Amino acid sequence: MDTTPRDLWLRDYGDPHAAPVAAALAAFDVDPAHGLTDEEAERRLALVGPNALKSKKRVSLLHVLFEQFISPVVALLGLAAGVSVAAGKVEESFAIIAVLVINTVIGFATELRATRSMEALRAIGVVNTRVRRGGRTAEIPAQSVVPGDIVLLEAGDVLTADLRIIDAHNLSANESALTGESEPVSKTAASVAANASLADRRSLAFKGTEIVRGGGIGLVIATGERSELGKISKLVETAKAERSPLEKQLDKLAGELIWVTLVLAFLIGATGVLMGRDPYLMIEAAIALAVAAIPEGLPIVATMALARGMLRMAQRNALIERLATVETLGATTLICTDKTGTLTENRMTVTNIVTAEGSIDFDHAAGAFFVEGAPVDVGERDLLREALIAAALCNTAELGRGGESDTGDPLEIALLRAAKAGGVTRDEMLTRRALLKSAPFDAEIKMMATAHAHGGHVEFYVKGAPEVVIARAAAVMTPDGAAPLTDDMRIHWRRQAAELAQGGLRMLAVARKCTASEDEPPFEGLELLALFALLDPPREDVREAIAACHHAGVRIVMITGDHAATAKTIASQIGLASEDASVIEGENLKTSDAMSPEERQRAIEADIFARVSPAQKLDLVKIYQEAGDVVAMTGDGVNDAPALRKADIGVAMGLRGTQIAREAAAMVLRDDAFSTIVVAIREGRVILRNIQRFVAYLLSCNLSEVLIVSIAIVSGLALPLLPLQILFLNLVTDVFPAFALGAGAGDAGVLDRPPRDPSKPIITRSLWRQIVFHGLLITGATLGAMEIAAAVFHVRGEEVLTISFLTLAFAQLWNVFNMRDPRSPMLRNDVTRNPYIWSMLALCTGLLLIAVYTPSLARILMLTPPTASEWGLILAMSFAPVIVGQAAKEIVRVNFMRRRRKRIKEDSR
């Protein structure tokens, strides 16, 4: 049998945390500068298998089928079949068993579809790992990581395998998920004692833990179930499936209605027996009513509606991580959004470079530099060349080669492209100025640095926010060398940065300093080299998306780390705020506890926050929530994770976001676009409205059946429905219409309404009134048809049963049209535009005609083919509830439109 690299390690070198870095690399036969070749990686993947933990087993068909037989409906149908056999009605008992089988098949198909939809959702998210393969940096799926891979680490990464640290720069990891240690643990390439505990193995980093600070390089030593996390995961093979509050609410409602229905069915049956009715018939009628009235399909149809809606959102680039998020989306009142990449395209290009010699234009398309329209030779501009060297070296991105994609942050890629156009490439510079260490970008201080060996000394290159770099600089590079940076010169440089930022450009400063040791603090005593201005245009669809949010009652607040002038200009361009809108900068923003009531109100009313730290983002979320808002917060960095968790909906960026941010979020935007948030809010509202619709439909139909039979029994009338007829209706008019209503795409005006109040239940008082109203309409129409048939057409027996049965069936089918929003037009609304509704009506009508005109089925159901005049009565009375229902909705709509026009007229004054 082949020996895995991990087995070789254990045999030859013992504990990986105790062995030197060189020994680790030798054991796994890999050069850290080159990494594994693709061929070798494939061989090792075939040897050790995918890098994955044992996931929750796929739900089997047998399990889903078994679940169908432990429902109360199956027990009741079994009891009904037993009663029929005891009464000597063998044919009827077989018919009930057939209903049981059909009910089970429908339930099986529905639950299987919902289950597979949820499994498909879980399979959408793909985690990538940045590795070095064949001398190039590549992002590969985590499942493809193999022992011996060289992994590049930076703050925000969630580790996908166990690593031996071979290089570390201020590297710390959050290992609380594995060891319980709440504080970040510093990591080092130095070996530790062989008997060190798991928490003390500082030379190792573990799968499932998070890099919270610094950067480094790691060697993969264990993947999948061989990792430390994998060993633990074997103890817990499965986890209970998540249930959203909405599903729990529907579960509770269904459970309560089951008991209410059983009590009512018992009372109805007992009343019939006491009034001298056939005991067997009354028992069967009571059981049939219970079967028809129990809304056991509510939770599963809700799950299917949620799953379908979430899949629709995933297809529109919004990946929902938690079911509860769907409900919250419909109630969102405030979106706190970043600027870069969310409101803008995140396709940056350098437009200007400002040195002590003046401003130099850069034409990205031509790859050339200009001063007042005249071409510039970079070789003759020492200050420009030094600025480009700084931009290339203080950088972690890589330009693609031979058709490969660029990797890294778009801002850093733009800097590399500008440097390359000036004849400066990062790879070439690194051969002359070897990288000694780096200090990754820190959101708190808004700078990053790299240290390089050059000419017997160490050169630090720094880039960051202009105001911070200028404040830390002691000198400025001029054509005559370094000159002291006076206060007047600082003001001059800040003014230049602000003027460019007012044009919507993103600003960055670069600096350097020479020292004798790499241990010197990198951000003190800097020599300012240049300012870089970068263009990141607004997304084309963002203005329309923001207008849609405002129309939907959702407020937008920009919270960015960028320059105040840049933020204000972009906000004005996209319609988020007016040109004279005030901007609150982070340095002027107190903590929520230190704010006065006036300062808190000013913060609540502000539309733009600039130069804001992650801690301040968290504070702002708290302030908005205390003010009563339901907050959606976007974020992409490791330090954004607390704010993402605190927000009602944390929204992480799928393209540029760190893994920590994605795992903290409730929703991930796979395209990083703000418009996708708007799509998700719309879909969230549509899903909730669909669920309310099919709940109202099911309960109003069930209520009508209970009322029809109970009124007939109490009044001493002949039964308008027989047990088997009730069961048949339960299959035809309950299941298919509910599915169709749950699959609706929503009406065009779904964003014209204010957000839903999250404190209200899914079935509001208004909805209960609609359920009772429509249930009474159907009841009245059915009993009315029965009385007219007896009094006018003088029919008796099976003919009356047929008329009442078909009137009720068609009245329930037409009832779907009463489920439209009262504010939508009668003929053009989300129900009439739903193709599933018309397919359902055609199918159900066909099934009803088959029941009437198929002799064997008609005999079992005790139906007779109606005459033309009887069909006229059936259709007229079945349409009566929808006509009355639509008239009531039109009254509501007219009143709504009148109030709306009045409000618009008053606002225009």
Side-chain angles (χ1 to χ4, degrees):
M1 185 175 71
D2 288 328
T3 305
T4 68
R6 174 67 170 163
D7 294 333
L8 286 172
W9 173 275
L10 292 173
R11 187 187 68 193
D12 295 340
Y13 297 95
D15 297 310
H17 54 277
V21 169
L25 295 170
F28 287 92
D29 191 22
V30 63
D31 174 5
H34 190 270
L36 299 174
T37 63
D38 290 337
E39 294 76 13
E40 176 62 16
E42 288 180 10
R43 189 190 73 81
R44 295 189 185 191
L45 185 62
L47 198 64
V48 300
N51 175 32
L53 301 179
K54 188 172 183 180
S55 59
K56 186 175 180 180
K57 292 181 179 178
R58 182 180 172 89
V59 178
S60 68
L61 298 179
L62 192 61
H63 176 78
V64 177
L65 183 61
F66 175 75
E67 287 286 316
Q68 308 311 307
F69 289 98
I70 58 174
S71 73
V73 167
V74 170
L76 287 170
L77 286 173
L79 179 61
V83 171
S84 295
V85 171
K89 301 176 182 178
V90 178
E91 188 177 50
E92 187 172 298
S93 68
F94 280 115
I96 293 173
I97 292 172
V99 170
L100 190 155
V101 171
I102 295 170
N103 185 80
T104 301
V105 169
I106 292 174
F108 170 77
T110 304
E111 186 164 349
L112 182 65
R113 188 174 182 183
T115 300
R116 294 295 183 252
S117 294
M118 296 309 297
E119 289 173 347
L121 279 169
R122 286 195 291 269
I124 288 175
V126 177
V127 176
N128 291 327
T129 300
R130 204 156 60 108
V131 300
R132 191 169 285 154
R133 289 268 180 95
R136 297 292 298 160
T137 300
E139 283 199 3
I140 63 172
Q143 288 194 335
S144 301
V145 172
V146 297
D149 259 327
I150 300 299
V151 178
L152 308 181
L153 304 174
E154 60 182 14
D157 288 346
V158 176
L159 302 187
T160 58
D162 285 358
L163 308 177
R164 172 64 166 90
I165 303 299
I166 61 176
D167 187 31
H169 302 289
N170 195 29
L171 186 65
S172 294
N174 176 8
E175 297 184 343
S176 58
L178 187 65
T179 66
E181 174 60 53
S182 59
E183 294 296 320
V185 179
S186 62
K187 294 297 175 180
T188 176
S191 56
V192 298
N195 61 353
S197 66
L198 190 68
D200 292 329
R201 296 177 185 178
R202 303 297 177 92
S203 58
L204 300 185
F206 304 102
K207 181 180 178 72
T209 63
E210 305 165 346
I211 302 298
V212 295
R213 186 169 57 249
I217 301 174
L219 166 69
V220 175
I221 59 173
T223 59
E225 294 186 13
R226 298 178 183 84
S227 66
E228 294 296 334
L229 184 64
K231 296 171 187 175
I232 295 173
S233 71
K234 291 179 182 178
L235 302 176
V236 186
E237 295 292 351
T238 59
K240 190 174 182 181
E242 177 194 9
R243 302 286 287 173
S244 74
L246 183 145
E247 290 180 299
K248 291 174 183 175
Q249 205 177 125
L250 291 178
D251 280 338
K252 182 181 178 183
L253 174 66
E256 291 171 349
L257 289 178
I258 284 174
W259 288 108
V260 172
T261 300
L262 290 176
V263 170
L264 282 176
F266 173 78
L267 291 175
I268 291 169
T271 302
V273 172
L274 291 175
M275 294 181 68
R277 302 290 183 101
D278 180 355
Y280 286 112
L281 180 62
M282 289 298 97
I283 292 172
E284 286 183 350
I287 293 172
L289 271 179
V291 170
I294 289 175
E296 67 154 2
L298 285 184
I300 191 63
V301 178
T303 300
M304 195 170 77
L306 284 168
R308 284 180 59 85
M310 289 165 68
L311 281 171
R312 280 201 305 268
M313 282 191 256
Q315 291 164 359
R316 301 285 297 275
N317 293 316
L319 182 58
I320 302 298
E321 299 289 345
R322 292 188 281 276
L323 282 176
T325 304
V326 176
E327 301 162 60
T328 314
L329 279 169
T332 301
T333 61
L334 178 74
I335 301 174
C336 299
T337 178
D338 191 10
K339 176 184 70 67
T340 304
T342 308
L343 300 176
T344 61
E345 293 184 356
N346 206 26
R347 288 199 312 234
M348 298 192 191
T349 55
V350 174
T351 61
N352 301 83
I353 303 172
V354 181
T355 69
E357 293 180 299
S359 180
I360 301 163
D361 300 328
F362 175 63
D363 186 328
H364 171 72
F369 298 86
F370 300 88
V371 173
E372 297 180 351
V376 169
D377 184 351
V378 175
E380 297 176 359
R381 294 262 182 163
D382 291 341
L383 294 185
L384 175 58
R385 180 172 173 78
E386 281 300 315
L388 295 175
I389 290 173
L393 289 177
C394 190
N395 205 307
T396 60
E398 288 190 23
L399 297 180
R401 298 176 184 170
E404 294 179 353
S405 299
D406 302 330
T407 59
D409 185 88
L411 181 147
E412 294 195 323
I413 291 171
L415 294 176
L416 289 181
R417 291 199 175 280
K420 185 178 180 181
V424 176
T425 64
R426 186 168 187 271
D427 290 344
E428 182 186 354
M429 284 295 108
L430 286 174
T431 61
R432 301 178 185 177
R433 308 180 190 198
L435 177 66
L436 298 175
K437 62 189 294 186
S438 63
F441 179 79
D442 189 322
E444 294 294 334
I445 64 172
K446 300 182 178 66
M447 289 185 291
M448 73 167 287
T450 56
H452 303 264
H454 184 232
H457 59 269
V458 175
E459 285 186 345
F460 282 95
Y461 289 100
V462 174
K463 76 170 185 285
E467 64 272 21
V468 177
V469 176
I470 292 170
R472 299 289 185 98
V476 58
M477 288 301 297
T478 72
D480 300 321
L485 190 61
T486 65
D487 289 343
D488 287 343
M489 293 176 70
R490 291 183 202 277
I491 293 171
H492 169 73
W493 281 94
R494 289 183 186 129
R495 186 182 297 118
Q496 290 192 91
E499 288 173 356
L500 287 167
Q502 285 172 358
L505 300 175
R506 186 169 185 183
M507 300 305 301
L508 195 71
V510 294
R512 74 175 186 187
K513 79 170 183 177
C514 296
T515 66
S517 170
E518 63 184 85
D519 296 325
E520 293 270 342
F523 302 116
E524 302 296 336
L526 301 175
E527 297 172 355
L528 180 63
L529 293 175
L531 299 175
F532 280 77
L534 299 99
L535 175 65
D536 184 16
R539 290 178 180 266
E540 291 184 1
D541 58 354
V542 75
R543 174 178 279 274
E544 182 181 350
I546 286 175
C549 280
H550 289 160
H551 195 60
V554 180
R555 185 173 163 234
I556 314 298
V557 174
M558 180 192 290
I559 302 178
T560 179
D562 214 338
H563 196 285
T566 305
K568 186 174 180 178
T569 300
I570 295 295
S572 174
Q573 289 175 355
I574 61 178
L576 188 150
S578 62
E579 292 183 1
D580 58 351
S582 62
V583 181
I584 296 180
E585 296 195 60
E587 63 182 6
N588 301 320
L589 189 62
K590 296 179 181 178
T591 63
S592 59
D593 296 334
M595 284 183 182
S596 66
E598 294 76 16
E599 289 171 330
R600 179 179 286 261
Q601 189 60 35
R602 193 158 54 249
I604 290 172
E605 292 175 355
D607 293 320
I608 309 168
F609 294 86
R611 295 300 193 209
V612 172
S613 70
Q616 290 173 321
K617 279 189 177 183
L618 179 61
D619 235 16
L620 286 171
V621 171
K622 180 182 175 183
I623 289 170
Y624 289 130
Q625 288 176 330
E626 289 175 351
D629 279 305
V630 177
V631 182
M633 165 69 80
T634 68
D636 55 11
V638 57
N639 291 325
D640 290 332
L644 292 175
R645 290 192 181 98
K646 174 68 176 171
D648 298 284
I649 301 177
V651 183
M653 304 298 109
L655 294 178
R656 72 179 192 276
T658 61
Q659 286 176 253
I660 291 178
R662 290 197 291 267
E663 293 198 356
M667 181 169 74
V668 176
L669 304 183
R670 295 199 289 175
D671 59 357
D672 289 7
F674 179 84
S675 59
T676 302
I677 303 177
V678 183
V679 168
I681 288 175
R682 183 189 183 281
E683 285 294 340
R685 293 188 181 188
V686 168
I687 291 169
L688 281 170
R689 185 66 188 121
N690 285 346
I691 290 173
Q692 288 178 321
R693 279 199 179 100
F694 72 66
V695 168
Y697 174 82
L698 282 175
L699 294 186
S700 60
C701 290
N702 292 351
L703 177 63
S704 68
E705 292 170 7
V706 172
L707 288 175
I708 287 167
V709 174
S710 58
I711 290 172
I713 289 175
V714 172
S715 303
L717 300 174
L719 274 181
L721 294 170
L722 296 178
L724 270 180
Q725 292 175 345
I726 294 173
L727 296 178
F728 185 84
L729 284 178
N730 187 49
L731 292 177
V732 174
T733 61
D734 269 14
V735 178
F736 301 114
F739 289 166
L741 288 169
D747 64 88
V750 70
L751 288 178
D752 293 343
R753 296 156 206 144
R756 184 181 73 90
D757 185 347
S759 64
K760 291 185 178 179
I762 185 68
I763 305 183
T764 61
R765 289 183 179 179
S766 173
L767 202 58
W768 276 118
R769 286 195 293 269
Q770 290 182 46
I771 290 168
V772 173
F773 177 64
H774 295 306
L776 289 173
L777 288 179
I778 296 172
T779 300
T782 303
L783 294 177
M786 182 179 172
E787 288 301 305
I788 292 173
V792 178
F793 293 96
H794 306 293
V795 296
R796 297 287 183 272
E798 291 184 4
E799 289 180 272
V800 176
L801 280 174
T802 301
I803 290 172
S804 58
F805 169 79
L806 289 175
T807 300
L808 175 61
F810 282 108
Q812 289 183 341
L813 291 183
W814 311 145
N815 191 37
V816 296
F817 296 110
N818 283 329
M819 298 301 110
R820 73 171 171 92
D821 189 280
R823 290 164 290 190
S824 61
M826 182 188 300
L827 300 179
R828 292 288 296 170
N829 53 68
D830 52 333
V831 175
T832 58
R833 286 197 299 263
N834 185 346
Y836 298 106
I837 292 292
W838 298 103
S839 300
M840 173 276 301
L841 289 176
L843 173 64
C844 293
T845 300
L847 292 174
L848 289 171
L849 294 177
I850 289 172
V852 172
Y853 291 105
T854 302
S856 57
L857 186 55
R859 187 181 71 254
I860 295 172
L861 293 174
M862 297 186 69
L863 300 174
T864 59
T867 63
S869 58
E870 289 169 352
W871 268 118
L873 174 63
I874 291 166
L875 292 176
M877 294 305 291
S878 67
F879 271 115
V882 75
I883 292 171
V884 175
Q886 292 299 305
K889 287 184 181 293
E890 276 301 292
I891 293 172
V892 172
R893 190 175 79 87
V894 170
N895 287 333
F896 169 75
M897 296 301 293
R898 185 183 295 117
R899 290 195 302 270
R900 186 179 182 184
R901 283 194 295 269
K902 182 179 178 181
R903 187 169 61 251
I904 293 172
K905 187 176 181 180
E906 289 175 350
D907 292 342
S908 64
R909 289 177 180 174

